[in-house]
Amino acid sequence: MSVPDYMQCAEDHQTLLVVVQPVGIVSEENFFRIYKRISSVSQVSVRDSQRVLYIRYRHHYPPENNEWGDFQTHRKVVGLVTITDCFSAKDWPQTFEKFHVQKELYGATLYDSRLFVFGLQGEIAEQPRTDVAFYPSYEDCGTVEKRIEDFIESLFIVLESKRLDRATDKSGDKIPLLCVPFEKKDFVGLDTDSRHYKKRCQGRMRKHVGDLCLQAGMLQDSLVHYHMSVELLRSVNDFLWLGAALEGLCSASVIYHYPAGTGGKAGARRFQGSSLPAEAANRHRPGAQEVLIDPGALTTNGINPDTSTEIGRAKNCLSPEDIIDKYKEAISYYSKYKNAGVIELEACVKAVRVLAIQKRSMEASEFLQNAVYINLRQLSEEEKIQRYSVLSELYELIGFHRKSAFFKRVAAMQCVAPSISEPGWRACYKLLLETLPGYSLSLDPQDFNKGTHRGWAAVQMRLLHELVYASRRMGNPALSVRHLSFLLQTMLDFLSDQEKKDVTQSLENYTSKCPGTMELIALPDGLPLPPVPFTKLPIVRRVKLLNLPASLRPQKMKSLLGQSVSTKSPFIYSPIVAHGRGEERSKKIDFQWVQGDVCEVQLMVYNPMPFELRVENMGLLTGGVEFESLPAALSLPAESGLYPVTLVGVPQTAGTITVHGYHTTVFGVFSDCLLDHLPGVKTSGCTVEVTPALPRLQASTSLPRSAHSLQPSSGDEVSTNVSVQLYNGETQHLVVKLENIGMEPLEKLEVTSKILTTKEKLYGDFLSWKLEETLAQFPLQPGKVATFTVSIKVKLDFSCQENLLQDLGDDGISVSGFPLCSPFRQVVRPRVDGKAVSAAESSRPGDPSHVKTLEAVLNFKYSGGPGLAEGYYRSLSLGLHVEVEPSLFFTRVSTLPATSTRQCHLLLDVFNSTEHELTVSARGSDELILHAGECQRMAIQVDKFNFESFPESPGEKGQFANAKQLEEERQEARGLEINSKLDIHWTIPSLKRTGEASVEGLLNQLVLEHLQLAPLLWDVLVDGQPCDREAAACHVGDPVRLEVRLTNRSPRSVGPFALSVVPFQDHQNGVHSYNLHHAVSFVGSGTFHLDAVQPSGQSACLGALLFLCTGDFFLHIRFHEDSSSKGLPPSWFCLPSVHVRALEARA
Amino acid sequence: MAVCVAVIAKENYPLYIRSVPTESELKFHYMVHTSLDVVDEKISAMGKALVDQRELYLGLLYPTEDYKVSVFPNQLCRYGYVTNSKVKFVMVVDSSNTALRDNEIRSMFRKLHNSYTDVMCNPFYNPGDRIQSRAFDSMVTSMMVQVC
């Protein structure tokens, strides 16, 4: 006996063993069809009793095991069913012969046998025979089950007769010694008459009867017999058979206690088939705890033939605890015999199954350990696999999953042991898969996303490697790629650098033949193998959807935006609504992408590998909108830090797009990594709106591009910057070429400009343009160009910086503070014109500190195509960087009264700060040539200005609460007025550049006052002729009529005034002679009186003079100091001095 | 005699494992891993016992049966110990030369436990990480060298 049956369980002791075998050539399919039908008849109730027979069918049974049939009767083949094909009558005898040969094989033990013949028809089939059944075909054999039942009943009759025969043997009779095959030679020559021998025979026979009773369904009888046998055999130290008796006792008790069976499925079916034992168990359960029958009460030599008195009592039955003890004892007896290894092993297995039901794992593991120790003869590889598999199953049964996995793995390894000529990789792979739960490893990568990996990485990795290898040898490269990817993905943290290299290398080798995919792979046993996305190669830390560049960003037109807001909610702001909305679109980003334009998503990735990682075909996975992803390939350096990667794509339709994840190809494995499944990824939202397509505008200019970018504080993002260098006052035209480089026609364009805050004061319009000409070229089809001209005019302050003034050895204050207001002509301190400027100063104009910078942004808002219909536009900003070099400065400004009171001279000290010769011209004056660094005075005669006449819209001004602001405003307006009158131009002939100059910035209050016409207009008329500048001629002796006329333009009434006329002579040498009584006499009073003049009124007073001798006389009209003139500015009383030339009296 | 010392976290993954014949480390991994079945079984069996009265020492887990399977020359016994926080210590002991008394094993475990407690007290140690303490390492080494 050498082949253990690992599937045995305790209940098998009550079964009858029937072998079903094919004879001749029977196809496996047909045989198993019939075998299945036969084995469905596994229990049969015997007609006239309550007993149930259990049948165990085997289609293969080694005859040497049969030899142990006396030892344990369930090992004895008692029935044989043969199945055969026979198609013609002439084959029949041969077939029948074979049947007999087959019968011979188990001949000694067989109770009965049957032959099932398929296919034979005709006269032979007509003969009624008990041991042969004929069926026309495998389909048409409805009575197979019935036949088997009959067959089993015949077995039962034999069994019952044997049982009764053995049981009723008289004690005095010679009882034959039953023995196992290896014992036979031990008993040769033994004294058969000794009491010891007799007892041994008795004990063994008792045990045998117990077995038969058990098989015959007489559980209680068998218990009694076993008990007696135990007693008998114990006394003679027949350990092998004592063990068998104990085991029989255990089996019977197990059958009693666990009617559902211990062997798994088979037992369960048995239970379903018959509820009787279950009821019996329930009935007798309390009895199980009762004291066992005292074996000593039985007569030692007499076997009571009738044990029926004991039937129905459970006293003989072992308690569950005792079962284990007895099993232990039995096994320890078995272990004394090396030849009984299989028996011992099977007993262990049976005990384990019982313990598994009792949930006593620790003890079960001890039994199993013992089973492992049992050394059978040299096992074949197949047997080893079977042995390990069974051990694994048993460990599983008692809940030792790790142990079970260990043995299963050993079994798997055994399948492909080098000693096997044809390694069973498929079986190995299958077994390895079964070990996965034992190593708490799931092949779904999703299970590894939750937090860090918690498992026994070393053994898991080993297992994965084995799976990879097995699947490769199995010839399923897709599977090995999948396992290897899984290994790499989930065990990355545990792989050493060298292992990482090895694994990736072999992965690349595999994928070169069979690329890894994202499809589910169905395993042979139907289990799906989920795809393994490489979310760790590279590791993505952050996903950020990028806005379009500023120039391409779509913007909603304001009016439309307002509407859309108002339709949504009547409230401008409500915290509740805002909160709700925030929840709902927590992932929606507040910018838009545009259909047809390239959009970007930035990923921050890093490479955890110790070598360069090549990621190919990396693209976006999106939903919601048709999206054309443009995959990228990247190469990450070894163990890189966070590395930004930009993935791009073009949305093809408008709508809401959601970025679900990205796809990669790493080491030839395609992965779709969904962001939802990535742990530790920061994202600021993945949903963005795509607006309909918009045109794209590209601006190029006539000016060179500038590297100089505008200050970041400017707010707008500027796509292009151009720079230009201009002299102060110069004007330049900037031609902007607008090209539609998009796919949509450009239909709408608006241009705005914004001058960035600058400290410099700017006069005049900096940028001006005419949009109409450009708009005439619209709509602009894709690829077409429109031009747009902007004129840049820089007019900064021409006044001199203070430091320059100091350099020139003067200070402006003293000049402007000079009392030019005096009605008298003052001698202005002569200035050194063209004063040589020191070398240091000459270098100054080119000094960059003098170069001022102006920056402005031209903003083009444009739209067209479907985007326009949706109310979106784009804006393109053009940065303008203007460096303004100083051209000329007015270092000093002053006024000189002109000869006429209505005019005055504006004196400008002009300083050429360029390095070139410069000419300056003003209206009505000659060109002034200035060398570099030269300063000259320039006098311009100007009419005085009547500022009051400027219209001032009071409503507008009323807005300015600040009086100071109002005053500034007014001053500016005056400056502009003056400037337009002056019209100062400069030219640099060498550079052929011209420009304007403006005095606006340097006119201070005093100068302005002088340039202003006084509100009181005084006119002196000599002989009715207005006298100003020109000398009025008169004749000596003739009275000269002198009229002083006052026009009041001030808003209030003035006067009355008293004026006195003082004549004097100017000797042109600085001496004024006032003593002219001899030369001039007044006709009438020398003092004139003027009445009060109402606003815009006129008044005049008349007098007369008489010149007594010829000469040039001047009349100084003085005001009398009185209260009425107080409070009025002195410049208001600026009367022209009257120059009268007295000629010879007319003849 | 101690040929392998392992510290296993509550969630049954190794915090520390070291074995003396380093070339067959994986075998020790399997050995310790399978012993967890018994440890689990023993813990669940004594789950009802009061915590403070519980015996931390689990005794012999397995004598050396598996190593008929994966041929191992020596007699290796596995002993277990579990802390109150369900951290397990498993020691594989080579008992072929000297039969160790239970008390010796017990004291070795106590030493191990003390050292482990020191590791836990390190504020820079993150519970659940692999133990990389040098002090712990040297203690384990001493336990292995002491007899080998």
Side-chain angles (χ1 to χ4, degrees):
Chain A
M1 173 120 177
S2 57
V3 185
D5 179 3
Y6 293 102
M7 302 315 291
Q8 275 214 2
C9 47
E11 310 83 279
D12 286 344
H13 282 256
Q14 65 174 340
T15 58
L16 292 170
L17 182 62
V18 173
V19 173
V20 182
Q21 279 182 326
V23 167
I25 304 139
V26 177
S27 80
E28 206 164 271
E29 187 196 345
N30 285 334
F31 170 72
F32 279 102
R33 187 133 50 109
I34 300 301
Y35 179 76
K36 226 170 160 186
R37 290 183 63 176
I38 291 171
S39 50
S40 68
V41 190
S42 63
Q43 55 188 27
V44 176
S45 302
V46 185
R47 259 172 292 170
D48 55 347
S49 70
Q50 293 257 312
R51 288 187 265 166
V52 178
L53 278 185
Y54 295 94
I55 322 293
R56 195 155 56 107
Y57 295 96
R58 287 283 179 278
H59 50 86
H60 178 80
Y61 196 73
E64 66 262 39
N65 281 13
N66 197 21
E67 287 166 18
W68 286 71
D70 283 340
F71 182 68
Q72 286 175 324
T73 51
H74 71 280
R75 296 182 189 279
K76 192 188 277 185
V77 179
V78 294
L80 175 72
V81 177
T82 45
I83 293 165
T84 187
D85 275 338
C86 187
F87 296 105
S88 66
K90 79 174 170 1
D91 291 339
W92 167 242
Q94 203 184 346
T95 311
F96 198 64
E97 188 56 35
K98 279 185 191 161
F99 170 55
H100 279 289
V101 171
Q102 197 75 28
K103 243 162 57 171
E104 287 302 303
L105 205 58
Y106 305 104
T109 58
L110 282 183
Y111 293 174
D112 201 355
S113 60
R114 286 288 182 275
L115 173 65
F116 286 181
V117 184
F118 288 89
L120 193 68
Q121 278 168 321
E123 52 185 292
I124 299 166
E126 303 298 310
Q127 301 168 357
R129 293 186 59 149
T130 48
D131 58 341
V132 183
F134 295 96
Y135 295 102
S137 70
Y138 288 101
E139 281 74 37
D140 186 13
C141 53
T143 57
V144 165
E145 285 88 352
K146 185 76 193 70
R147 279 274 181 173
I148 292 293
E149 274 175 36
D150 291 346
F151 171 62
I152 287 161
E153 261 175 48
S154 82
L155 290 181
F156 174 71
I157 291 161
V158 180
L159 174 71
E160 191 67 1
S161 72
K162 284 209 175 216
R163 183 183 69 83
L164 290 170
D165 182 33
R166 297 281 161 83
T168 51
D169 279 348
K170 290 293 166 282
S171 57
D173 292 354
K174 183 106 170 156
I175 299 170
L177 178 71
L178 298 168
C179 55
V180 292
F182 73 87
E183 281 179 326
K184 277 182 180 136
K185 58 183 182 292
D186 299 348
F187 295 114
V188 175
L190 213 68
D191 178 13
T192 53
D193 289 334
S194 72
R195 187 180 160 77
H196 190 267
Y197 183 79
K198 270 187 188 162
K199 255 193 166 173
R200 179 184 292 225
C201 291
Q202 266 182 2
R204 290 188 179 190
M205 186 52 78
R206 272 284 175 191
K207 193 250 160 219
H208 185 68
V209 174
D211 281 353
L212 291 176
C213 288
L214 192 59
Q215 281 187 311
M218 300 164 74
L219 185 72
Q220 297 301 333
D221 284 33
S222 71
L223 281 169
V224 173
H225 288 300
Y226 284 136
H227 272 297
M228 290 201 299
S229 163
V230 166
E231 274 313 301
L232 285 167
L233 292 170
R234 210 189 282 280
S235 63
V236 294
N237 291 337
D238 187 1
F239 292 120
L240 184 64
W241 284 76
L242 175 58
L246 287 169
E247 198 191 339
L249 194 56
C250 293
S251 303
S253 305
V254 167
I255 290 162
Y256 177 75
H257 282 298
Y258 308 106
T262 56
K265 274 188 284 176
R269 195 181 62 208
R270 214 170 279 157
F271 177 48
Q272 280 174 355
S274 153
S275 59
L276 203 76
E279 282 168 21
N282 289 340
R283 206 159 354 112
H284 297 301
R285 206 11 78 102
Q289 299 298 322
E290 282 174 35
V291 190
L292 292 170
I293 185 170
D294 179 12
L298 296 159
T299 52
T300 47
N301 57 350
I303 300 171
N304 189 354
D306 184 16
T307 54
S308 60
T309 48
E310 263 94 25
I311 292 173
R313 288 204 283 147
K315 279 189 177 168
N316 296 328
C317 190
L318 297 173
S319 70
E321 286 75 30
D322 286 337
I323 291 172
I324 301 310
D325 287 344
K326 294 290 183 247
Y327 261 125
K328 261 185 204 160
E329 200 183 338
I331 288 162
S332 73
Y333 293 142
Y334 287 148
S335 64
K336 291 183 200 291
Y337 300 89
K338 208 168 175 245
N339 291 320
V342 173
I343 305 290
E344 185 188 354
L345 187 62
E346 287 182 4
C348 284
V349 171
K350 289 175 215 169
V352 168
R353 291 191 203 278
V354 174
L355 282 166
I357 286 198
Q358 295 183 346
K359 305 221 182 306
R360 288 156 73 176
S361 309
M362 282 310 294
E363 282 159 295
S365 84
E366 278 164 30
F367 276 100
L368 267 178
Q369 250 168 273
N370 190 46
V372 174
Y373 281 133
I374 296 165
N375 230 340
L376 298 178
R377 62 177 171 83
Q378 196 60 41
L379 292 171
S380 73
E381 299 298 339
E382 218 166 294
E383 282 167 327
K384 275 188 196 164
I385 296 166
Q386 200 194 5
R387 182 184 162 102
Y388 294 136
S389 308
V390 168
L391 281 172
S392 157
E393 266 165 44
L394 290 173
Y395 272 117
E396 184 74 47
L397 202 63
I398 62 171
F400 281 22
H401 302 290
R402 298 180 188 88
K403 204 81 175 168
S404 160
F406 177 85
F407 278 106
K408 196 147 263 175
R409 188 185 146 268
V410 172
M413 291 297 106
Q414 204 61 246
C415 291
V416 293
S419 56
I420 294 180
S421 52
E422 273 180 48
W425 289 107
R426 222 162 261 283
C428 169
Y429 181 77
K430 193 170 169 294
L431 286 169
L432 283 176
L433 276 187
E434 285 168 17
T435 65
L436 287 171
Y439 291 113
S440 44
L441 191 62
S442 112
L443 288 181
D444 189 352
Q446 301 251 3
D447 295 346
F448 289 82
N449 287 343
K450 295 149 197 131
T452 49
H453 177 73
R454 291 281 148 104
W456 204 291
V459 288
Q460 288 176 343
M461 251 155 62
R462 177 77 193 185
L463 177 61
L464 285 171
H465 272 298
E466 282 162 357
L467 275 174
V468 170
Y469 191 71
S471 53
R472 190 171 72 88
R473 294 299 298 264
M474 237 165 77
N476 194 339
L479 215 53
S480 53
V481 166
R482 179 61 52 86
H483 286 308
L484 206 52
S485 325
F486 182 84
L487 171 68
L488 198 57
Q489 161 75 14
T490 57
M491 298 291 164
L492 194 63
D493 301 342
F494 303 98
L495 290 168
S496 70
D497 283 1
Q498 187 55 43
E499 281 170 323
K500 281 178 191 170
K501 263 177 210 161
D502 295 345
V503 167
T504 50
Q505 196 149 30
S506 48
L507 182 58
E508 274 174 328
N509 284 343
Y510 293 167
T511 51
S512 64
K513 286 167 225 144
C514 173
T517 58
M518 279 305 287
E519 277 134 42
L520 276 179
I521 297 181
L523 291 177
D525 57 348
L527 200 78
L529 200 58
V532 182
F534 275 149
T535 56
K536 284 186 180 169
L537 295 172
I539 297 175
V540 173
R541 275 281 168 266
R542 196 143 50 85
V543 177
K544 192 179 164 200
L545 275 65
L546 297 185
N547 202 346
L548 291 169
S551 61
L552 296 179
R553 236 168 257 174
Q555 279 154 16
K556 195 90 176 156
M557 281 176 201
K558 285 246 161 57
S559 57
L560 288 167
L561 187 77
Q563 276 173 12
S564 68
V565 163
S566 64
T567 53
K568 264 182 194 150
S569 157
F571 302 108
I572 295 168
Y573 171 75
S574 154
I576 302 156
V577 173
H579 184 68
R581 217 176 272 165
E583 288 284 299
E584 169 202 322
R585 49 158 97 165
S586 57
K587 291 192 120 185
K588 187 143 181 173
I589 312 173
D590 60 349
F591 57 73
Q592 287 105 14
W593 281 351
V594 178
Q595 173 193 344
D597 276 0
V598 174
C599 302
E600 297 178 323
V601 175
Q602 193 186 52
L603 307 178
M604 296 303 281
V605 301
Y606 81 85
N607 171 15
M609 300 303 257
F611 47 84
E612 188 178 299
L613 182 68
R614 283 200 55 76
V615 183
E616 279 152 19
N617 194 28
M618 190 167 190
L620 291 171
L621 295 172
T622 57
V625 162
E626 256 183 70
F627 189 78
E628 186 194 343
S629 181
L630 307 172
L634 52 135
S635 171
L636 295 169
E639 273 161 21
S640 65
L642 274 185
Y643 205 83
V645 172
T646 307
L647 299 180
V648 294
V650 181
Q652 301 291 353
T653 53
T656 303
I657 190 168
T658 309
V659 175
H660 294 310
Y662 60 93
H663 61 82
T664 56
T665 308
V666 183
F667 309 128
V669 178
F670 300 101
S671 327
D672 290 344
C673 309
L674 298 182
L675 296 181
D676 294 346
H677 299 155
L678 294 184
V681 169
K682 277 189 231 159
T683 166
S684 51
C686 299
T687 306
V688 80
E689 206 168 302
V690 178
T691 66
L694 282 168
R696 275 178 75 174
L697 200 60
Q698 194 182 48
S700 55
T701 63
S702 53
L703 291 175
R705 275 174 170 254
S706 141
H708 200 102
S709 61
L710 301 185
Q711 303 115 297
S713 62
S714 60
D716 289 300
E717 283 178 53
V718 175
S719 51
T720 328
N721 279 304
V722 292
S723 70
V724 64
Q725 179 263 323
L726 292 174
Y727 283 107
N728 195 1
E730 205 176 343
T731 301
Q732 174 134 8
H733 292 291
L734 168 67
V735 179
V736 182
K737 277 188 182 175
L738 299 171
E739 186 179 358
N740 183 4
I741 55 168
M743 302 305 290
E744 301 294 333
L746 207 159
E747 291 160 34
K748 226 176 139 182
L749 179 74
E750 280 175 38
V751 184
T752 53
S753 74
K754 187 174 146 194
I755 295 163
L756 302 181
T757 47
T758 169
K759 284 176 281 179
E760 308 302 329
K761 195 154 167 59
L762 196 64
Y763 301 97
D765 287 335
F766 179 40
L767 299 171
S768 56
W769 61 81
K770 275 182 185 154
L771 192 59
E772 292 74 24
E773 292 165 22
T774 314
L775 285 180
Q777 303 169 44
F778 276 49
L780 198 62
Q781 293 305 320
K784 293 279 163 40
V785 182
T787 53
F788 176 71
T789 310
V790 183
S791 59
I792 307 164
K793 190 159 109 184
V794 281
K795 248 159 95 182
L796 289 180
D797 200 353
F798 284 86
S799 67
C800 194
Q801 297 99 326
E802 256 175 54
N803 52 356
L804 190 60
L805 269 179
Q806 279 159 3
D807 291 340
L808 294 170
D810 216 322
D811 60 335
I813 299 151
S814 67
V815 176
S816 51
F818 199 80
L820 283 171
C821 54
S822 154
F824 297 99
R825 189 178 290 192
Q826 297 287 327
V827 176
V828 177
R829 190 160 45 124
R831 272 197 55 85
V832 186
D833 284 350
K835 176 183 171 183
V837 185
S838 65
E841 284 161 333
S842 67
S843 70
R844 191 164 277 263
D847 201 341
S849 68
H850 287 258
V851 177
K852 287 167 185 167
T853 306
L854 281 178
E855 281 170 345
V857 177
L858 266 177
N859 204 357
F860 301 89
K861 285 183 182 174
Y862 60 95
S863 187
L868 177 66
E870 289 284 315
Y872 286 100
Y873 66 88
R874 271 177 169 163
S875 71
L876 176 70
S877 294
L878 185 67
L880 200 58
H881 180 85
V882 183
E883 288 193 346
V884 186
E885 279 192 37
S887 51
L888 52 80
F889 284 120
F890 298 110
T891 56
R892 189 197 300 248
V893 64
S894 55
T895 48
L896 265 183
T899 34
S900 158
T901 55
R902 300 291 168 86
Q903 287 185 324
C904 80
H905 291 284
L906 188 67
L907 300 180
L908 297 166
D909 285 1
V910 187
F911 174 71
N912 176 8
S913 64
T914 67
E915 290 161 316
H916 308 278
E917 197 181 77
L918 185 118
T919 54
V920 186
S921 65
R923 172 177 296 174
S925 73
D926 293 332
E927 281 194 349
L928 186 68
I929 295 172
L930 286 167
H931 297 290
E934 197 182 17
C935 186
Q936 280 195 28
R937 175 161 296 181
M938 184 175 170
I940 308 163
Q941 190 179 353
V942 284
D943 291 332
K944 285 196 177 183
F945 298 92
N946 181 9
F947 296 125
E948 308 299 334
S949 63
F950 296 149
E952 278 181 30
S953 55
E956 225 177 274
K957 299 290 177 207
Q959 285 174 356
F960 296 96
N962 197 338
K964 196 177 160 196
Q965 251 180 347
L966 198 72
E967 187 51 45
E968 269 175 24
E969 194 95 341
R970 197 175 289 155
Q971 197 165 333
E972 253 173 54
R974 287 172 193 171
L976 195 67
E977 167 78 9
I978 294 165
N979 205 45
S980 63
K981 285 271 166 56
L982 291 179
D983 194 19
I984 307 172
H985 280 83
W986 52 262
T987 314
I988 303 175
S990 59
L991 295 177
K992 294 200 176 118
R993 290 171 82 157
T994 57
E996 295 172 23
S998 159
V999 295
E1000 285 168 68
L1002 58 158
L1003 296 174
N1004 54 30
Q1005 190 62 42
L1006 270 168
V1007 176
L1008 275 178
E1009 243 167 51
H1010 287 137
L1011 286 175
Q1012 190 177 2
L1013 273 174
L1016 299 185
L1017 278 184
W1018 301 90
D1019 291 295
V1020 180
L1021 289 89
V1022 178
D1023 272 345
Q1025 300 296 315
C1027 171
D1028 203 6
R1029 282 186 293 186
E1030 296 297 312
C1034 66
H1035 298 279
V1036 172
D1038 286 354
V1040 179
R1041 205 149 40 92
L1042 191 70
E1043 188 181 349
V1044 176
R1045 208 182 269 169
L1046 170 66
T1047 313
N1048 183 10
R1049 295 204 200 158
S1050 73
R1052 54 175 172 159
S1053 66
V1054 291
F1057 301 108
L1059 305 152
S1060 58
V1061 178
V1062 182
F1064 66 93
Q1065 265 191 316
D1066 189 357
H1067 295 288
Q1068 304 283 352
N1069 57 357
V1071 177
H1072 291 189
S1073 132
Y1074 286 94
N1075 193 8
L1076 296 172
H1077 295 296
H1078 60 280
V1080 183
S1081 95
F1082 286 91
V1083 181
S1085 171
T1087 307
F1088 298 178
H1089 287 281
L1090 268 172
D1091 291 334
V1093 186
Q1094 295 303 315
S1096 69
Q1098 248 189 351
S1099 176
C1101 56
L1102 283 166
L1105 279 167
L1106 188 69
F1107 292 96
L1108 302 177
C1109 52
T1110 59
D1112 275 16
F1113 297 93
F1114 292 91
L1115 299 178
H1116 191 158
I1117 304 170
R1118 258 186 210 162
F1119 287 88
H1120 285 266
E1121 297 286 331
D1122 59 5
S1123 58
S1124 63
S1125 67
K1126 290 250 175 84
L1128 293 175
S1131 61
W1132 288 24
F1133 303 100
C1134 179
L1135 267 78
S1137 64
V1138 183
H1139 182 192
V1140 183
R1141 183 168 294 156
L1143 304 169
E1144 283 293 327
R1146 274 176 291 196
Chain B
M1 56 183 168
V3 287
C4 176
V5 172
V7 181
I8 297 135
K10 182 167 177 272
E11 295 87 357
N12 288 335
Y13 64 94
L15 291 175
Y16 180 90
I17 183 158
R18 217 159 81 97
S19 51
V20 158
T22 39
E23 65 275 12
S24 55
E25 198 191 331
L26 193 67
K27 289 203 170 112
F28 284 106
H29 272 285
Y30 276 117
M31 210 187 290
V32 176
H33 183 249
T34 49
S35 345
L36 288 180
D37 278 327
V38 182
V39 173
D40 277 357
E41 190 60 42
K42 288 201 171 186
I43 290 171
S44 69
M46 67 183 190
K48 284 126 206 161
L50 283 172
V51 175
D52 48 345
Q53 289 168 2
R54 208 160 60 186
E55 171 70 284
L56 299 176
Y57 177 55
L58 299 175
L60 182 65
L61 300 177
Y62 277 120
T64 143
E65 95 284 7
D66 300 342
Y67 300 96
K68 266 185 176 173
V69 174
S70 50
V71 185
F72 239 84
N74 301 330
Q75 275 248 299
L76 299 176
C77 295
R78 282 172 268 173
Y79 293 89
Y81 186 89
V82 63
T83 69
N84 283 325
S85 54
K86 298 275 193 310
V87 172
K88 294 123 194 161
F89 301 132
V90 173
M91 204 158 13
V92 182
V93 172
D94 181 356
S95 57
S96 54
N97 310 337
T98 42
L100 277 171
R101 258 173 300 167
D102 223 28
N103 264 346
E104 292 175 66
I105 304 283
R106 213 183 277 260
S107 74
M108 278 163 80
F109 272 125
R110 211 162 295 136
K111 246 171 85 184
L112 199 62
H113 194 173
N114 285 340
S115 192
Y116 173 75
T117 313
D118 291 345
V119 171
M120 287 296 129
C121 292
N122 177 2
F124 298 104
Y125 175 76
N126 219 345
D129 285 357
R130 282 196 77 93
I131 295 173
Q132 280 162 332
S133 155
R134 221 176 302 149
F136 189 79
D137 220 37
S138 65
M139 195 279 309
V140 171
T141 312
S142 78
M143 266 167 53
M144 289 176 158
V145 167
Q146 169 199 336
V147 261
C148 277

